[in-house]
């Protein structure tokens, strides 16, 4: 097995990189490392664990090198509650969609890197390495005009919630199954879908970076009841989410108000 961790860890971001550029660079470099891990011949749980570990260790090293005074909340790391008193917190998911990562050649997995500053998400990036693309607030994406006559809703490929099926029937939408939460949110940015509606449980690292990117692209982002998404909370469980084209938000929230998510 070839270990290129040291090569990646020794790399430096573009000169003068601000937080937007740094988040994009971090997500991209971690994604490149994951592609290397994916090519090493591992399978199943071994591949999942190797990917999680390699991306987490690399991101922790790079953040310590380039933003040493900032706190970090990572899915794969110990939650240091000191972040609750920090002004700047990086919220990262080193590998979102481990199942899809372990099933080459699937491309619906991602790396999430976001920065929270004094109550707000201020920068973020979502790398989809198997697509060869990183979407970030450094150059906010332009959402293409909708190409589908019917709305398309991204849902879990393994456990699509019943209430989303009912929502789809009410607004005459089609369901599009896919993997990671980041891939689902970015599918709206890419005009692969028009909405992602989720109430099955997530954590801050599952959607902080995707939401930062989606907001920068002008998409609507909120809790399932229309309330604000809040990050760097003591309890990092953030169970539900809507990301959609703005013109669909009222219909989705009104449906949830009337029918709930049961």
């Amino acid at each position: 097995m070839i270990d290129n961790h040291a090569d990646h860890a020794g790399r430096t971001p573009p000169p003068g990189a601000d937080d937007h550029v740094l988040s994009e660079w971090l997500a991209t470099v971690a994604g490149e490392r994951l592609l290397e891990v994916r090519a090493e011949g591992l399978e199943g749980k071994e591949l999942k664990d190797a990917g999680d570990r390699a991306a987490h260790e690399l991101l922790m090293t790079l953040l310590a090198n380039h933003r040493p005074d900032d706190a970090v909340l990572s899915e794969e790391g110990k939650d240091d509650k000191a972040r609750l008193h920090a002004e700047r917190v990086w919220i990262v998911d080193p590998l979102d969609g481990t199942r899809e990562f372990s099933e080459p050649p699937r491309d619906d997995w991602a790396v999430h890197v976001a920065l929270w500053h004094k109550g707000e998400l201020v920068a973020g990036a979502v790398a989809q390495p198997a697509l060869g693309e990183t979407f970030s607030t450094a150059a906010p994406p332009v959402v293409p005009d909708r190409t589908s006559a019917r709305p398309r809703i991204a849902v879990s490929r393994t456990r699509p919630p019943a209430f989303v099926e009912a929502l789809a029937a009410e607004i005459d939408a089609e369901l599009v199954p896919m993997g990671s939460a980041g891939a689902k949110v970015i599918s709206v940015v890419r005009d692969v879908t028009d909405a992602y509606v989720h109430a099955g449980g997530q954590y801050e690292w599952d959607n902080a970076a995707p939401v930062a990117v989606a907001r920068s692209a002008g998409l609507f982002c909120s809790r399932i009841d229309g309330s604000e998404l809040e990050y760097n909370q003591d309890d990092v469980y953030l169970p539900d989410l809507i990301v959609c084209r703005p013109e669909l938000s009222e219909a989705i929230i009104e449906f949830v108000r009337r029918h709930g998510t049961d």
Side-chain angles (χ1 to χ4, degrees), residues 2 32 43 76 81-82 89 97 103 112 125 164 185:
I2 298 171
E32 292 170 352
E43 295 181 352
E76 301 302 322
K81 295 293 186 176
V89 181
E103 298 175 357
H112 299 176
V164 177
V185 172

Side-chain angles (χ1 to χ4, degrees), residues 2-226:
I2 298 171
D3 183 2
N4 290 316
H5 173 260
D7 293 339
H8 287 290
R11 291 176 56 179
T12 57
D18 62 12
D19 293 325
H20 299 281
V21 172
L22 185 69
S23 67
E24 180 178 53
W25 178 80
L26 289 167
T28 301
V29 170
E32 292 170 352
R33 178 73 186 109
L34 284 165
L35 289 176
E36 293 173 352
V37 172
R38 209 185 199 195
E40 288 171 356
L42 300 174
E43 295 181 352
K45 186 177 186 301
E46 283 190 338
L47 178 54
K48 293 176 184 178
D49 291 347
D52 279 333
R53 183 172 57 252
H56 171 73
E57 290 176 354
L58 178 58
L59 286 171
M60 294 308 98
T61 298
L62 293 174
L63 282 166
N65 288 345
H66 302 293
R67 293 293 189 272
D69 297 328
D70 294 350
V72 181
L73 172 64
S74 169
E75 178 180 16
E76 301 302 322
K78 185 178 183 299
D79 183 7
D80 182 352
K81 295 293 186 176
R83 64 180 173 78
L84 297 173
H85 308 289
E87 291 190 355
R88 292 166 51 91
V89 181
W90 293 90
I91 303 174
V92 303
D93 190 341
L95 174 51
D96 182 58
T98 51
R99 175 174 177 167
E100 289 71 30
F101 171 74
S102 71
E103 298 175 357
R106 293 195 70 98
D107 59 26
D108 47 345
W109 52 278
V111 178
H112 299 176
V113 178
L115 176 63
W116 175 95
H117 178 54
K118 292 183 176 179
E120 301 291 339
L121 295 177
V122 296
V126 176
Q128 286 195 251
L131 290 179
E133 294 193 64
T134 300
F135 304 84
S136 83
T137 57
V142 176
V143 179
D145 292 338
R146 194 165 117 190
T147 55
S148 173
R150 297 172 64 201
R152 300 155 295 178
I153 303 176
V155 295
S156 169
R157 58 184 284 237
T158 56
R159 52 186 188 282
F163 91 93
V164 177
E165 295 178 350
L167 167 65
E170 177 159 312
I171 66 175
D172 189 30
E174 61 177 303
L175 301 181
V176 182
M178 63 183 69
S180 92
K184 293 186 188 80
V185 172
I186 296 302
S187 74
V188 186
V189 173
R190 298 170 56 215
D191 185 42
V192 174
T193 66
D194 304 295
Y196 172 38
V197 184
H198 178 80
Q202 287 186 348
Y203 294 89
E204 291 187 14
W205 47 73
D206 289 314
N207 59 52
V211 163
V213 175
R215 282 178 175 167
S216 76
L219 294 173
F220 176 87
C221 304
S222 78
R223 294 286 302 274
I224 201 82
D225 61 359

